[in-house]
């Protein structure tokens, strides 16, 4: 990115904490940056699992409340890298009742808050581990993680439901089965474990198709997430900032609508770039 | 078993629908019976997944309401087997809102109803796919399946929680972590997807042990099952018949107590033998 936040070049890769061997992170970064023709002196600012214990270097979590305009205060510089490299911290909520952690989403939230000019809102970042965060006076004051996306993948790949969904993974937000199951779980979130089995039974008894079985599963899981959050929102009609990109967007938009939750969408890619750029400005500012 | 229900010899094996190849069931049965020195003319009565589509021979489900004293009416005899072999039917609940199926548990319920002299009760059969059935006037009138045990195994083996639980699978019913998480989910069943992630976070932030992580997971899942059922029980104080054996018994007893659900325990092995013997008496009675 240039100093004004313009994107000069971009590249996506699946090489992250789960697949890169210890000690291999510096090489992966240089290989990816070489693919962008990035100058050797260009600094790199990183968020996410690179800062986890099994990542490049463990960066201690920031405790709550955590100000969004200065995540960089907890960043660590990597010694001996080929270029200036900084890894941003994650956030930890150490309440005994609801311990929780995030790495990467804090940077997306900071960027989304900046993009949406939101200083006091609820943020929803759906995905493998969906995060819902409360921001007050420009600081994250609490958050919860829902295993929604991981549960979808687990059940599709490894459970009795694998026979029901086959290789279907794509869910259309206007599929009536998705919407019916979503509304059903919004109304009765506590029977999730039973509704999941009903997908198998509907396949056996009523010939539910694989596409519809995947839609039903997605509807139940997203419905359970939204129902749990909705029960805990202030109910003051404030707008949820939905930070998402890609195929998940219409599914969560449908869920917000079904639950009567007002929301506005911020593209997750835009958000993370804005958050990283903000951190870079702090980290790279001439020392006074 | 002898004609009076006495056990002459018994043998357990893991060889079932998931591992036996099509066409191989007859050989497996004869191998197991040879290990018991069973006479070649001794009839065999079978319940469970042998009657599924991927089993030995598909036996159509009985629809609800299904009388427990005559499951044998839906049994199929296997042609050309080395001895008389009968496979009992499962049950199907074809309501569009809650389609459900069982194979094997109907025989346990029939046996447990006979052992417990219960003709109108709620039956709980915990396990991989926990079943809760309502019996009225000696017939199953409705049931629900909860993915509780399968979810425990899936999350332990394949999810982010595998780092938290390690190889721990045994849960002690008097572990305070199990009881705390059980009570927490009984009170707030709708946040299950979030509570699961909190186990991971408690490991990272508070050093939750692997044993306690497995206990927490079990507490949340069993708690979610019991909470869902409890919300739907008549609340008339009638006794739940808990049909279970082995390590799961103290966990469900603790859950019943935490939820103030009166229950009585029937050993699941005793129940299935009683159900099979009852079916055998019908199937093998002299005709005419």
């Amino acid at each position: 990115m240039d100093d004004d936040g313009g994107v000069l070049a971009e590249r996506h890769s699946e090489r992250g904490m789960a697949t890169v061997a210890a000690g291999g992170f510096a090489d992966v970064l240089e290989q990816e940056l070489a693919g962008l023709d990035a100058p050797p002196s260009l600094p790199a600012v990183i968020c996410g699992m690179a800062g986890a214990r099994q990542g490049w270097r463990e960066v201690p979590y920031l405790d709550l409340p955590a100000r969004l305009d200065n995540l960089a205060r907890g960043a660590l510089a990597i010694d001996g890298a080929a270029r200036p490299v900084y890894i941003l911290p994650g956030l930890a909520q150490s309440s005994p009742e609801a311990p929780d952690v995030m790495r990467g989403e804090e940077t997306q939230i900071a960027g989304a808050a900046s993009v949406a000019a939101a200083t006091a809102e609820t943020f929803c970042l759906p995905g493998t581990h969906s995060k819902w965060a409360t921001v007050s006076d420009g600081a994250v004051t609490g958050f919860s993680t829902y295993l929604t996306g991981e549960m979808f993948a687990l059940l599709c790949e490894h459970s009795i439901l694998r026979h029901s969904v086959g290789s279907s993974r794509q869910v259309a937000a206007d599929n009536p089965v998705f919407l019916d199951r979503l509304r059903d779980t919004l109304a009765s979130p506590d029977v999730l474990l039973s509704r999941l089995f009903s997908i198998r039974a509907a396949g056996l008894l009523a010939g539910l198709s694989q596409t519809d079985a995947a839609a039903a599963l997605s509807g139940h899981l997203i419905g359970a997430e939204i129902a749990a959050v909705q029960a805990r929102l202030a109910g003051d009609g404030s707008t949820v900032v939905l930070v998402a990109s890609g195929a998940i967007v219409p599914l969560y938009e449908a869920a917000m609508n079904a639950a009567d939750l007002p929301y506005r969408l911020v593209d997750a890619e835009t958000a993370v770039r804005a958050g990283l750029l903000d951190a870079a400005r702090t980290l790279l500012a001439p020392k006074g």
Side-chain angles (χ1 to χ4, degrees), chain A:
Chain A
M1 298 177 74
D2 63 25
D3 289 341
D4 299 323
V7 177
L8 302 174
E10 191 166 42
R11 191 177 163 96
H12 289 83
S13 155
E14 294 293 319
R15 296 198 287 178
M17 187 191 73
T19 57
V20 176
F25 290 91
D27 286 347
V28 168
L29 178 66
E30 289 307 318
Q31 288 160 18
E32 297 292 340
L33 289 177
L36 294 173
D37 292 323
S41 64
L42 194 71
V45 180
I46 300 173
C47 66
M49 298 305 282
R53 198 166 300 167
Q54 296 84 16
W56 189 345
R57 176 168 171 194
E58 185 172 6
V59 182
Y61 296 107
L62 297 180
D63 289 324
L64 303 190
R67 287 205 63 78
L68 288 171
D69 61 4
N70 197 10
L71 296 175
R73 77 183 189 281
L76 292 184
I78 300 290
D79 295 328
R83 67 181 69 239
V85 175
Y86 300 90
I87 304 180
L88 298 179
L91 304 186
Q93 171 173 281
S94 27
S95 101
E97 301 81 45
D100 216 321
V101 292
M102 65 168 66
R103 283 197 186 274
E105 293 90 350
E106 71 296 325
T107 307
Q108 286 186 301
I109 294 169
S114 172
V115 168
T119 57
E121 304 271 10
T122 298
F123 287 73
C124 168
L125 295 84
T128 303
H129 297 156
S130 289
K131 305 283 183 185
W132 285 76
T134 305
V135 172
S136 181
D137 285 336
V140 176
T141 55
F143 63 94
S144 296
T145 303
Y146 295 80
L147 222 57
T148 314
E150 177 164 10
M151 197 67 88
F152 181 81
L154 274 181
L155 290 166
C156 285
E157 297 291 332
H158 298 293
S159 80
I160 183 84
L161 299 185
R162 70 187 185 279
H163 305 297
S164 306
V165 300
S167 60
S168 286
R169 297 291 182 276
Q170 298 303 315
V171 176
D174 59 357
N175 182 330
V177 174
F178 170 75
L179 293 168
D180 285 351
R181 298 298 189 118
L182 176 68
R183 290 192 198 102
D184 171 81
T185 302
L186 285 171
S188 308
D190 62 331
V191 278
L192 179 65
L193 289 177
S194 174
R195 288 293 195 268
L196 296 178
F197 190 82
S198 78
I199 297 171
R200 170 69 174 156
L204 291 170
L205 299 178
L208 188 74
S209 72
Q210 294 185 344
T211 300
D212 286 350
L217 178 56
S218 180
H220 283 306
L221 292 170
I222 294 176
E225 175 187 329
I226 303 289
V229 172
Q230 190 175 28
R232 283 153 186 79
L233 285 177
D236 57 358
S238 69
T239 299
V240 173
V241 181
L242 174 61
V243 187
S245 295
I248 209 170
V249 171
L251 301 178
Y252 273 77
E253 290 190 313
M256 298 287 182
N257 289 330
D260 276 330
L261 285 180
Y263 72 93
R264 48 187 168 154
L265 178 65
V266 174
D267 177 69
E269 304 278 323
T270 303
V272 75
R273 283 195 293 260
L276 287 167
L277 185 71
D278 183 58
R281 283 178 175 142
T282 302
L283 290 165
L284 305 172
K287 299 291 186 291

